[in-house]
Amino acid sequence: MVAKPPEMDDSSTIPGVSAVGDIAVVGDIAVVGDAYLRWRAAGELTDPVLVEDGHVAWCWERDHDAPDGQAWATVVGDDPAVAAALIDRLARLRVFDGVTVREAVVPGLPQRLQPQQPGRWCAWTLDVAEVAWPADPVVVDLDRRDPRIDPLLDHSASAYVRTDDPLVDHWVGVDDGGMLVAVGASHREVSGAAHVVSVCTHPDRRGQGLAERVVRSLAQRAQTDRAPAVYLEMFADNEAARRVYRRVGFTEHATYVSGSVPRSA
């Protein structure tokens, strides 16, 4: 852990996130309606975690989300001035390679903190109590060692979780005469949410509703596992995926922007 400079008191560094219903609580700050903080970030918050004026900031570092050795300054909150101040405070504590902020914050950030080559993504959630559809016999459980999974995922630009990820709880897919034509996975977050990842359909079989069936089956497994929610993220401009998740019953939450910044920022 990097030592805090003298001007920062102990109350500014909070060890983690708790929750009350759909509200994430960090220290004395209650953040309502931020699905990313509530359902995913609980497993990412590492010291230092800063809170100020209803905003939360920390450095995000996960092996399967970013290249080895990279860290990203992440801020939840909508005020650009507060976000910039928190990023600057993080920069005094450690080196980071990029920033993640809500999309509404980006226009108000100073130029030195503007994300370069930014990616837009959004968070979605599904209440497992809404999972009431029958089991789908077409979607089957897959062995994590199934050699067909990774080649199929090569058709997806966003499928960062592969078969070598030990955190995956479920791999499911659609087998058509021995050919794997659709696949998806989920793993359990520290919050308890089932995080749906690496949903992919073979290009020749898209438009047939297979991705929706895969996601519905993963939601059923989340319900069986007694997960409190199903969570996922997607590129914000992926309209085909947006239609799938809405049909299943997911709710779309905030849009975020992630991008690199100069290390001297």
Side-chain angles (χ1 to χ4, degrees):
M1 180 182 74
V2 180
K4 298 186 293 295
E7 67 271 24
M8 296 182 64
D9 60 30
D10 289 336
S11 64
S12 64
T13 300
I14 311 298
V17 57
S18 58
V20 179
D22 289 331
I23 303 173
V25 181
V26 183
D28 296 326
I29 301 297
V31 182
V32 181
D34 192 274
Y36 173 50
L37 181 61
R38 168 66 180 91
W39 295 114
R40 186 180 183 195
E44 299 178 345
L45 297 185
T46 55
D47 196 30
V49 178
L50 310 178
V51 294
E52 181 178 327
D53 292 340
H55 292 58
V56 183
W58 71 98
C59 272
W60 161 91
E61 198 168 13
R62 290 180 65 154
D63 292 342
H64 62 221
D65 288 344
D68 290 341
Q70 286 199 359
W72 295 69
T74 304
V75 181
V76 171
D78 290 324
D79 187 314
V82 177
L86 287 170
I87 293 171
D88 284 339
R89 288 172 64 186
L90 285 173
R92 302 208 308 270
L93 297 173
R94 59 170 301 171
V95 174
F96 52 81
D97 304 270
V99 298
T100 293
V101 295
R102 288 181 180 172
E103 184 175 46
V105 167
V106 174
L109 289 177
Q111 186 59 40
R112 60 189 172 79
L113 294 179
Q114 287 290 321
Q116 305 300 302
Q117 299 180 321
R120 297 172 60 249
W121 57 274
C122 49
W124 297 69
T125 59
L126 174 70
D127 184 345
V128 292
E130 299 178 12
V131 178
W133 44 83
D136 187 343
V138 171
V139 182
V140 298
D141 289 298
L142 300 173
D143 190 299
R144 68 172 61 248
R145 297 165 295 182
D146 192 318
R148 302 172 298 171
I149 296 176
D150 284 345
L152 177 55
L153 293 178
D154 287 340
H155 293 289
S156 171
S158 59
Y160 61 85
V161 173
R162 299 296 181 109
T163 54
D164 61 354
D165 192 321
L167 298 179
V168 171
D169 298 309
H170 300 284
W171 283 102
V172 302
V174 177
D175 183 314
D176 185 4
M179 178 181 178
L180 188 64
V181 295
V183 71
S186 65
H187 64 82
R188 201 72 171 261
E189 292 288 351
V190 172
S191 66
H195 186 168
V196 172
V197 293
S198 294
V199 176
C200 179
T201 302
H202 191 281
D204 294 341
R205 300 296 297 272
R206 290 174 182 168
Q208 300 176 16
L210 298 181
E212 180 178 344
R213 297 174 80 163
V214 164
V215 173
R216 286 183 181 274
S217 293
L218 288 169
Q220 286 180 314
R221 285 154 178 78
Q223 187 181 60
T224 299
D225 293 343
R226 298 183 181 278
V230 185
Y231 174 87
L232 61 84
E233 297 166 357
M234 55 160 268
F235 288 136
D237 59 355
N238 188 340
E239 290 301 326
R242 179 173 277 106
R243 289 192 294 271
V244 167
Y245 301 139
R246 283 180 175 164
R247 285 197 299 268
V248 175
F250 279 82
T251 298
E252 184 174 0
H253 298 277
T255 297
Y256 281 85
V257 173
S258 300
S260 61
V261 294
R263 283 200 167 213
S264 59

